[in-house]
Structures are given as C-alpha cells and as structure tokens.
Amino acid sequence: MYDINKVRQDFPILSREVYGKPLIYLDNAATTQKPLCVLDAMREEYLNVNANVHRGVHYLSQQATDLHEAARETVRAFINAKSTSEVIFTRGTTEALNLVVSSFCDEFMKEGDEVIVSTMEHHSNIVPWQLQAAKKGICLKVIPINEKGEILMDEYEKLFTEKTKIVSVAHVSNVLGTINPVKEMIRIAHEHGVPFMLDGAQSTPHFSVDVQDLDCDFLAFSGHKMYGPTGVGVLYGKEDWLDRMPPYQGGGEMIDSVSFEKTTFEKLPFKFEAGTPDYVATHGLATAIKYMQDLGMDNIHAHEKMLTDYAMKRMKEIEDMRIFGEAEEKDAVVSFLVGNIHHLDMGTLLDRLGIAVRTGHHCAQPLMIRLGIQGTVRASFALYNTTEEIDTLVEGIKRVSKMF
Ligand code: PMP
C-alpha cells in the first residue's frame, strides 16, 4: 500500500551523499524536503505563467490569479474550512500567529486580560504575546505538564478566570512530539466562552486536521514543514472572528478604497493579505498538499507512527539514554540526550556520519527550563524515512557514545 522506495524517488535530495556517506535526513520538524512535483509546478509557473495576481486584466495575470485562488481552495478542503474567506496566506506559522496576537489584542484585549498558553510552546507562540504584554499589560498563564510531557488537564481548567480572553496551544510539540488533546481543550475553552488558537506547525504535516471537527477558532501552519516551499503558510480563522478583527498590515491588495480622508478595507480573506502574495509558493503548497493527499494522510500517519514507535524502542537499547517526551499520544519526534554528552557534540559527530539531526533548545527555552536541561538532540521523521535509517541513527549514537 505504501511503497517507500517509490516515495523516496520523488525526493532526489535523499539520494545524495554528505562526507561520502548516504544522507540520512532526520531534521524534518525544522523543514521537510520537497518532492519533484512541487519543484516542477513552481518552475512551470515561473517559466510560463508568471504575472502579479488580482490586479491585472491580461491573460497571464488571470492565469496566475486562477492558480493562486485554486491553491486557496485546495487549502480550504485540506483543513475542511467552511469557506475560502477563512483561509489567509501568510509567510508561515510565525506570521500567522503574530497576525492573530496583534489583531486580536487590538480589538478584544485590555490591560490585565489573560491568554493561556502551555509549557511546551514554540517561541513563536510565546514572544508575540509577550510583546503585547509589554505594550498593553496583558498576562500569560501557562499550563503545566507532567513528566511524560503531557498537558495537565485539571490544571488547564483551573487557569480560566473572567479575564481569560483566548487560549493558544501547539497541536503537537516540536520537542516532545506530544499530540495534545486539543479537541477536549477547545471544548473546555468554549465552555468558558473563550476562543482557541491552534499552532498546527507540527500536526498538519503528519495527520488530517479538520478545523470544523476540532472547532478551533484559529489554526496556523507552515508550507515548508509539509513538503511545500519556504515563505508561505496559512492562517485559518472563523469568519466571525476575522470579520471583527482589524487588519494586521496596510498596503495594496487589502483595501476597498483609499483617500487621504478615509480608507475602507477589502472583504475577507484579502483584508489580511497586504502586498503581493507569494503566488508561486501558494501554487507550490497546493501541489505539496495534493502530493500528500495522493499518498493518503492516514497512510502517512501510519508510516510515521511505525517509525516513531520503532525509534523509541531501538533508542531505549542505548546505555544512558534519556528520552524527553513519552506521551501516550506521540508523533514523529524523538528528543534525547546520552549520558553527559553535550547535544552539540552528539549532533556534530552524527553529522559526520551523514545523519542530519537538530540540536539545541528548538525555540522552546521555557520547556528546556521545565526539563532542567539546556538542549536536546532531536531526530524527527517524515513520510520518506525508513526503519533502516533509524538503525543507522542508533548505530551512530552508539558509536559517538563509545568515543566519550
Ligand atoms: N510552532 C511550532 C510548533 C514549530 O515547530 C515551528 C517551527 N519550528 C513554528 C511554530 C514556527 O514555524 P515557522 O518558522 O515556519 O514560522
């Protein structure tokens, strides 16, 4: 059903060597490789279609606009949004989160109001709130986690007060791999009359995310982590919220009419899309989504779950291994340290064996503080990885460990 050899042929970079060794790419949580179909689609658009979108009457502009708007429809269907008005193209997760934080705070939050985030957030779901805290005096409340790296649901419920205005939490932790119980968390937030923003950077590449089923109010994700190009991402928002939020940036594309006395704004989604969008990248993203859908999101998830379970089992064979993140629901990421070996040393020596992993705090320093460490080594899996690659990783870790 899932022909891994055929899949790997779609990604020529996987056949290259580094330091004379076959490349083993296990840094997929940072960014994924791109299949040929995505590269071909983008090259074809630049070669034969390129023109700025929306404003042109000429043939090429209309064709480019059609591709761009077809991409929006592909994204809409991918996350099961009700309407393309709810799909805003951004530069990535970071920009999507910043957009909501800034615009939501402007309209709905005042000094003393509270946002709930979790201990395992990426900096992009912490720092934008802190910027607002400095500007407006809003407060962050933090959901604690247990030793396995799971959210403490009882503590979550206790954080709500009459000042809570929004909850913003990662669907999947980029460090621990924990899949958070977001459907239940969203239900609880709504019981308190509070909207919920989901950081989907590490979920949308791995399994189906249905915004209507989850009932989230906002969802942010990045194209480059799901086999699409860099520089494009998505903000989904319920129309009712987006309609009431002010624009994030001003400029072309987002206005209805402008005079020095008064400016009126375009309807959704354009109100939030100032300036020329990366329309070639949106077409690339749509091509990546179709590639994943052709393989089947359930097949991708099953393959990656098999890899994660296999990696967890094999890594535990290694002496002095500490794995961070042992949640019941876990996805595609294994963070670890071995004995006293510094994460940077482990990463650098694995690199010499052709194995690409990430080291450091993974943009989650508050989580590192909670874990009492400076950083980890992180291996993260994608639809093209194999159990043989994990075997090579395990042998590599053992080799490095012996050297110390
Ligand atoms: N949130 C999470 C959970 C992430 O893993 C990342 C990327 N590491 C981001 C947000 C930010 O994504 P981007 O850099 O693509 O904007």
Side-chain angles (χ1 to χ4, degrees):
M1 205 160 76
Y2 194 81
D3 186 346
I4 189 70
N5 292 325
K6 191 163 163 291
V7 167
R8 286 178 72 84
Q9 281 167 17
D10 296 330
F11 297 83
I13 199 170
L14 298 177
S15 315
R16 69 161 289 181
E17 297 191 336
V18 292
Y19 310 112
K21 308 242 168 24
L23 169 69
I24 296 186
Y25 187 77
L26 299 176
D27 193 18
N28 296 287
T31 201
T32 52
Q33 301 303 342
K34 321 302 172 201
L36 275 172
C37 61
V38 169
L39 306 177
D40 289 346
M42 293 175 72
R43 180 179 148 87
E44 167 59 23
E45 184 166 5
Y46 274 128
L47 272 177
N48 282 312
V49 182
N50 183 50
N52 205 335
V53 291
H54 295 142
R55 283 163 292 194
V57 291
H58 61 81
Y59 189 89
L60 290 189
S61 176
Q62 286 184 18
Q63 214 177 347
T65 304
D66 289 348
L67 285 175
H68 182 62
E69 292 307 320
R72 201 187 301 277
E73 168 55 26
T74 301
V75 171
R76 185 208 62 73
F78 180 62
I79 56 172
N80 193 31
K82 276 191 190 145
S83 142
T84 48
S85 306
E86 300 179 320
V87 175
I88 292 154
F89 286 121
T90 65
R91 281 194 303 121
T93 307
T94 303
E95 191 179 56
L97 294 172
N98 273 276
L99 188 164
V100 174
V101 175
S102 165
S103 194
F104 187 91
C105 281
D106 275 354
E107 189 65 22
F108 299 113
M109 292 182 86
K110 58 179 189 317
E111 192 175 343
D113 282 347
E114 297 165 355
V115 50
I116 297 176
V117 298
S118 86
T119 306
M120 66 179 89
E121 296 313 311
H122 188 276
H123 294 164
S124 61
N125 192 26
I126 299 172
V127 184
W129 295 111
Q130 289 176 329
L131 294 176
Q132 291 295 328
K135 236 166 58 181
K136 285 192 95 162
I138 66 159
C139 306
L140 278 79
K141 295 278 203 76
V142 184
I143 316 166
I145 57 171
N146 65 19
E147 290 307 307
K148 287 172 155 181
E150 294 163 326
I151 277 186
L152 294 172
M153 290 296 275
D154 290 350
E155 300 298 320
Y156 167 55
E157 280 222 63
K158 284 187 208 152
L159 291 179
F160 285 89
T161 71
E162 72 286 355
K163 297 199 164 200
T164 310
K165 290 288 147 58
I166 188 165
V167 181
S168 189
V169 169
H171 201 168
V172 175
S173 160
N174 67 316
V175 178
L176 306 168
T178 310
I179 306 176
N180 287 317
V182 292
K183 193 165 173 177
E184 177 62 4
M185 293 177 79
I186 291 166
R187 194 190 60 71
I188 291 168
H190 288 170
E191 245 173 42
H192 290 85
V194 170
F196 196 106
M197 174 151 72
L198 198 54
D199 170 354
Q202 300 294 347
S203 59
T204 50
H206 302 295
F207 51 84
S208 307
V209 176
D210 179 329
V211 292
Q212 290 192 67
D213 177 52
L214 292 175
D215 201 22
C216 59
D217 300 274
F218 303 100
L219 168 74
F221 57 99
S222 297
H224 71 97
K225 291 184 196 286
M226 42 192 283
Y227 315 100
T230 47
V232 67
V234 173
L235 170 67
Y236 157 82
K238 281 185 186 163
E239 204 163 338
D240 183 43
W241 284 111
L242 293 176
D243 257 340
R244 288 184 285 153
M245 283 158 49
Y248 174 55
Q249 293 181 326
E253 302 262 347
M254 52 75 74
I255 54 88
D256 175 35
S257 71
V258 178
S259 72
F260 281 114
E261 288 70 40
K262 183 176 165 61
T263 290
T264 56
F265 305 123
E266 255 284 30
K267 58 186 184 331
L268 290 172
F270 308 109
K271 182 174 92 174
F272 289 107
E273 292 183 349
T276 300
D278 195 340
Y279 51 84
V280 178
T282 58
H283 178 46
L285 171 59
T287 310
I289 288 174
K290 284 183 190 147
Y291 177 79
M292 292 171 76
Q293 287 171 327
D294 284 348
L295 285 178
M297 291 306 291
D298 290 346
N299 294 333
I300 293 170
H301 189 45
H303 177 73
E304 293 173 345
K305 170 113 186 58
M306 179 276 292
L307 290 175
T308 311
D309 291 347
Y310 184 75
M312 288 292 280
K313 181 169 136 294
R314 289 246 35 216
M315 307 237 323
K316 284 180 183 171
E317 289 169 11
I318 300 167
E319 224 176 295
D320 292 331
M321 169 63 71
R322 286 163 74 197
I323 290 177
F324 300 90
E326 301 225 32
E328 297 299 325
E329 296 293 324
K330 180 175 166 88
D331 199 47
V333 176
V334 180
S335 272
F336 65 93
L337 288 172
V338 182
N340 295 326
I341 305 170
H342 194 274
H343 51 83
L344 199 56
D345 292 333
M346 177 63 81
T348 309
L349 291 166
L350 287 175
D351 176 53
R352 288 286 161 167
L353 301 172
I355 305 167
V357 290
R358 187 145 292 246
T359 64
H361 54 62
H362 315 295
C363 299
Q365 282 183 328
L367 175 60
M368 297 297 127
I369 294 168
R370 163 66 179 83
L371 297 172
I373 53 177
Q374 302 238 306
T376 73
V377 187
R378 180 184 74 185
S380 52
F381 312 122
L383 55 81
Y384 40 63
N385 289 122
T386 64
T387 51
E388 290 75 22
E389 289 180 310
I390 291 168
D391 290 337
T392 310
L393 169 69
V394 170
E395 291 320 308
I397 299 169
K398 286 182 180 168
R399 240 176 102 178
V400 174
S401 303
K402 268 206 196 109
M403 290 167 64
F404 281 81

